Amino acid sequence: MKILLLAGEASGVLYAERLKRSLAEFAGGRAIEYRGYDTEGFRIEDLAVMGFVAVLKRLPYFLRVARTMARVVDTWRPDVVVTIDYPGLNLKLARRAKARGIPAVHVVCPQVWAWHQDRIPKVAASLTKLLCFFPFEPALFGPPGTYGAFRASFIGHPMVDVFAEEDRNRAADGVAPGGDGVPLLAVLPGSRSGEIARNLPRLIETVRLLRDRGQTFRVEIPAASARSRAHIEALVAAGADALRGVDVRIRLGGAREVLRRARCAAVASGTATLEAALARCPTVLVYAVSWLFATFLRHAIRQIRHVGLANIVWEKSLPDRGVGRESPMPELLQEAFTPEAVADRLEAWLRDPAARAAAVKRLDEAMALLHSDGDALGLAAREVLAVLRT
């Protein structure tokens, strides 16, 4: 059985590895051969680029990736193409496969609930099946048959299963939940170089403000890759005066473990905010992009009031869309993302247990919406194998 499995970001790679495990379990002993971006010499960290300018600068590289993977579809002739998130390139490759009679299954619904919904027919035309992580997403594609044989279904969010498995392992190892001793502040400035450059200096200044206000705490900054770690270390060194007297540690990986132990966190928008919610860590979502990209986003995104994944699923799943209620995760974006505003939020959770407990309760209510009837990627594996049997 030949499967072209394409994941273009770190979170997608995590899901791909768990999907492989489930496919091996349900394949009935059949040998499975995989190919993907990595087998063709492309590194995930080189694919994870965000923003118009950044993509334009590397356009020849991305065109080479697209040509190479299209050639794999044509010559290797996989039995199924499974793409995970990364829709800009993955959906193009899925469309190519489907046009050649190869089933195409995409995991993670493109954010048609945020961007123009006129993209929905094009997404459906590209795929055989779409496996959604959020409960409100399948309804966006109408009832079964709206787009022929195409089907969209909710499988739950696999990060729920990741955390449940880790909880079981921690309990078996006798690891107590949460942290102890000096309160830990988790700082996650993002994984891409542009994110780190824009977000981390403001967060370093936030740490200085908390220190000057008399708060006692320590800081851990998990880096997504060796390249990210080097960038973070350089910025922390440049901000040494602002961080004087604060125990700041930079580590490679381990973001979920850090979030589990943290009293609270400041996290750049993205999958890490969902991990923070599942870790039951009160979090301020922060993010800044270039003014040009921000202007585009303000005109393009009109379907949602939030950007954080925990907030979006909470907003979209409530009958009143959460109007008048406090969202699970406060968001400070662009001009609102100031060190003073972030420090105000974090300080409340550092010094007031009741405020922290209320924040945890809101996160738990949002995350309960992501559960489905079974292991998400186990369900995904069954869907992939069902495509092969038809």
Side-chain angles (χ1 to χ4, degrees), residues 321-338:
R321 298 187 66 213
V323 175
R325 306 192 206 180
E326 185 173 357
S327 62
M329 189 174 290
E331 298 180 353
L332 297 173
L333 311 173
Q334 289 300 103
E335 298 84 358
F337 175 17
T338 65

Side-chain angles (χ1 to χ4, degrees), residues 185 187 200-201 203-209 211-212 217 219 221 232-250:
L185 170 61
V187 172
L200 188 53
L203 295 175
I204 288 173
E205 180 62 13
T206 297
V207 170
R208 184 193 68 77
L209 288 172
R211 179 201 65 190
D212 292 350
F217 61 98
V219 175
I221 310 176
I232 290 169
E233 287 173 341
L235 290 173
V236 167
D241 287 344
L243 298 171
R244 186 173 293 114
V246 181
D247 180 6
V248 178
R249 301 181 185 182
I250 304 165

Side-chain angles (χ1 to χ4, degrees), residues 111-304:
Q111 294 179 351
V112 291
W113 33 261
W115 304 84
H116 297 297
Q117 295 197 5
D118 56 9
R119 297 168 60 221
I120 288 175
K122 187 175 182 179
V123 170
S126 303
L127 301 171
T128 307
K129 285 187 177 181
L130 174 63
L131 307 181
C132 305
F133 287 178
F134 293 162
F136 60 84
E137 291 173 326
L140 297 170
F141 294 84
T146 301
Y147 298 104
F150 166 82
R151 293 291 184 275
S153 56
F154 171 59
I155 61 172
H157 203 294
M159 198 56 69
V160 171
D161 305 313
V162 170
F163 270 80
E165 181 179 310
E166 291 177 347
D167 285 341
R168 290 191 294 269
N169 293 338
R170 287 166 65 87
D173 293 338
V175 179
D180 50 24
V182 178
L184 172 62
L185 170 61
V187 172
L188 283 73
S191 58
R192 301 178 179 93
S193 60
E195 293 174 325
I196 295 169
R198 285 188 294 268
N199 297 327
L200 188 53
R202 302 188 203 191
L203 295 175
I204 288 173
E205 180 62 13
T206 297
V207 170
R208 184 193 68 77
L209 288 172
L210 290 170
R211 179 201 65 190
D212 292 350
R213 293 179 186 183
Q215 294 298 314
T216 300
F217 61 98
R218 56 195 178 88
V219 175
E220 286 193 29
I221 310 176
S225 66
R227 180 186 297 177
S228 297
R229 180 174 183 171
H231 195 174
I232 290 169
E233 287 173 341
L235 290 173
V236 167
D241 287 344
L243 298 171
R244 186 173 293 114
V246 181
D247 180 6
V248 178
R249 301 181 185 182
I250 304 165
R251 56 180 292 170
L252 183 60
R256 294 194 299 278
E257 188 266 332
V258 171
L259 289 165
R260 287 179 187 275
R261 292 187 288 106
R263 180 74 60 85
C264 54
V267 179
S269 178
T271 303
T273 61
L274 185 67
E275 293 179 325
L278 288 165
R280 310 181 76 229
C281 178
T283 296
V284 182
L285 184 154
V286 299
Y287 211 69
V289 296
S290 69
W291 70 267
L292 180 61
F293 195 39
T295 300
F296 166 76
L297 292 175
R298 284 175 175 140
H299 284 87
I301 300 179
R302 300 181 182 274
Q303 311 297 325
I304 53 173

Side-chain angles (χ1 to χ4, degrees), residues 82-99:
V82 180
T83 51
I84 301 179
D85 208 359
Y86 204 63
L89 180 54
N90 276 346
L91 287 180
K92 290 182 176 65
L93 293 168
R95 188 181 309 120
R96 186 182 188 93
K98 187 178 178 184

